[in-house]
Every structure is written in structure tokens, then in C-alpha cells.
């Protein structure tokens, strides 16, 4: 069964840091781009970042550039999101998603999400 | 950046009736080299992650009931549910994956009338 499990969310003060992890199983992780998508409470979906299958390329939404870093470890079937200089507006559920190149590069499998709350 | 705009924001349809959701992109998401529209539709039920329904604007994801269909090209797209079932109550999002950042529409909340 294809599965993505996020971890690492929690409560952090503005200006703080947090590292999210996503463990993948049930598919050949190293063959797929991966992504993070977030959803603020009661709001819509926002694409945050994606990373190439071998980790050699990344893309970010402007609002997180310079603060967030996406990475992956294919040996551990895991991807990560390092979040620094966190702001109140970063509060959201963060979803890990598999990106299917055969479908053009859109997320086809999603994890259940991990909640990040930025508050003093 | 490409801006995605859905209409309506909410929709109430009777069971068994047709539901139609529209999505408009601020620029074309049709890639001329392969004639494919880089547009997907997702369904999100309360407390759950999104579920892919449609990709390439009109290709149904495996396992998705055939009452769901996508159409359109360029900048204007439609998701149609031909005969609404109770389990279709959800928020629906379109997303362009033509260019980063891969933006989503604001969502359309579908309810039973």
C-alpha cells in the first residue's frame, strides 16, 4: 500500500524553527518528485515546495523562499521541510505529497498532514 | 504567477442532479509541445487530505467514479458530477501545474440541496 506519514509538527513561537519529516512506503521513492502543500485553518490549499527525484532541483512559493528548505534522503525513503524564521501566517496543516511525473507533475498521493502552529 | 479562480464559491445540488464547477486560469496552462492541459481537480472531505480526481484536465484518476468528468482547455475548465451522490459532499479544488508555484483555486464547497 502506498503511504506517506508526516511528523514533526507542533507549537512554535514566531521566529522559531521546525523540521517536518515525511516517511514514504509502498512505492519506489527515488523515482518520484515530492512536494509539500499546506492548508491554513479553514482556508484553501497552498503549494509550498517540490523537490526533484534525485534532490538536484527544488522550487518554492515566494512566501517561503529563503526561510524554508525542502530536502530528501532516498536511502531512508524520506523527505523533509526545514522551516526557519516562522511567522504566524505559516500556521497550517502541512501535507506531504507524491508527485507523479506521468501525470505531468501534480500530486497524486497525499499524507494525512501534520499541524504547525506559530504563536506566542 | 498563475492565478486560479473558481466559481461558484459554494453550490447546493439535489441528489441525482448535475453539479458543475468552473475554474479559470489567468494564463493558458496548455503546453503546446504535447497539447496537454496541466490542470488537475481534487476533492477534499472534512478532516481528510485532498484526493486526486482528474489530471490533464480530463483524465480520470484510477478508481474515481465515472460520474466525475473534466473538460476545457487553455484557460477555462469545468468539473462535472453527472448525478450527485451523498458521498460527493466536499470541497473541490482545481490546480495548475504548468508553472511553479503550482497554484490552487480557492475551492468550491458542494452541498446537498
Amino acid at each position: 500500500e502506498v503511504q506517506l506519514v508526516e511528523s514533526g509538527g507542533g507549537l512554535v513561537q514566531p521566529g522559531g524553527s521546525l523540521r517536518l519529516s515525511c516517511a514514504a512506503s509502498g512505492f519506489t521513492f527515488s523515482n518520484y518528485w515530492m512536494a509539500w502543500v499546506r492548508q491554513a485553518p479553514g482556508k484553501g490549499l497552498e503549494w509550498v515546495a517540490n523537490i526533484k527525484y534525485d534532490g538536484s532541483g527544488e522550487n518554492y512559493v515566494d512566501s517561503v523562499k529563503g526561510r524554508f528548505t525542502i530536502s530528501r534522503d532516498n536511502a531512508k525513503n524520506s523527505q523533509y521541510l526545514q522551516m526557519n524564521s516562522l511567522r504566524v501566517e505559516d500556521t497550517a496543516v502541512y501535507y506531504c505529497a507524491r508527485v507523479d511525473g506521468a501525470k505531468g507533475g501534480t500530486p497524486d498521493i497525499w499524507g494525512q498532514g501534520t499541524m504547525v502552529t506559530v504563536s506566542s | 504567477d498563475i492565478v486560479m479562480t473558481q466559481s461558484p464559491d459554494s453550490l447546493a445540488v439535489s441528489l441525482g442532479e448535475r453539479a458543475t464547477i468552473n475554474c479559470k486560469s489567468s494564463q493558458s496552462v496548455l503546453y503546446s509541445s504535447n497539447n496537454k492541459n496541466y490542470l488537475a481537480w481534487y476533492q477534499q472531505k472534512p478532516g481528510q487530505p485532498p484526493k486526486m480526481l482528474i489530471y490533464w484536465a480530463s483524465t480520470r484518476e484510477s478508481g474515481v467514479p465515472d460520474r466525475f468528468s473534466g473538460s476545457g482547455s487553455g484557460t477555462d475548465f469545468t468539473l462535472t458530477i453527472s448525478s450527485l451522490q451523498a458521498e460527493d459532499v466536499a470541497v473541490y479544488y482545481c490546480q495548475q501545474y504548468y508553472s511553479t508555484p503550482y497554484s490552487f483555486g480557492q475551492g468550491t464547497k458542494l452541498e446537498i440541496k
Side-chain angles (χ1 to χ4, degrees), chain B:
Chain B
D1 295 359
I2 298 176
V3 176
M4 307 299 291
T5 304
Q6 292 180 224
S7 62
D9 290 333
S10 63
L11 181 63
V13 175
S14 301
L15 289 173
E17 296 300 304
R18 177 185 300 260
T20 301
I21 298 170
N22 300 300
C23 175
K24 189 175 184 66
S25 58
S26 61
Q27 64 189 75
S28 176
V29 298
L30 174 63
Y31 196 40
S32 56
S33 66
N34 60 7
N35 201 37
K36 289 186 181 294
N37 288 282
Y38 283 62
L39 189 285
W41 288 97
Y42 294 89
Q43 175 193 65
Q44 187 178 32
K45 297 180 179 180
Q48 296 185 18
K51 172 189 174 183
M52 173 184 270
L53 298 176
I54 303 282
Y55 59 97
W56 295 138
S58 59
T59 302
R60 202 178 302 115
E61 173 72 320
S62 175
V64 173
D66 60 8
R67 63 180 180 274
F68 290 92
S69 63
S71 62
S73 184
T75 61
D76 292 279
F77 301 90
T78 300
L79 175 69
T80 301
I81 307 172
S82 60
S83 177
L84 190 70
Q85 305 299 303
E87 61 265 32
D88 300 335
V89 169
V91 179
Y92 292 84
Y93 295 92
C94 61
Q95 185 216 12
Q96 67 80 18
Y97 50 105
Y98 180 87
S99 66
T100 56
Y102 295 156
S103 42
F104 291 87
Q106 79 276 19
T108 295
K109 187 175 184 179
L110 178 58
E111 299 173 314
I112 305 294
K113 184 186 291 183

Side-chain angles (χ1 to χ4, degrees), chain A residues 22-60:
Chain A
C22 171
S25 59
F27 64 98
T28 305
F29 182 74
S30 57
N31 286 352
Y32 289 84
W33 287 62
M34 296 294 294
W36 290 95
V37 178
R38 67 185 179 183
Q39 186 169 35
K43 301 297 184 183
L45 300 169
E46 181 182 36
W47 179 90
V48 174
N50 67 1
I51 185 167
K52 198 173 179 180
Y53 52 86
D54 60 0
S56 64
E58 309 146 30
N59 297 287
Y60 299 90

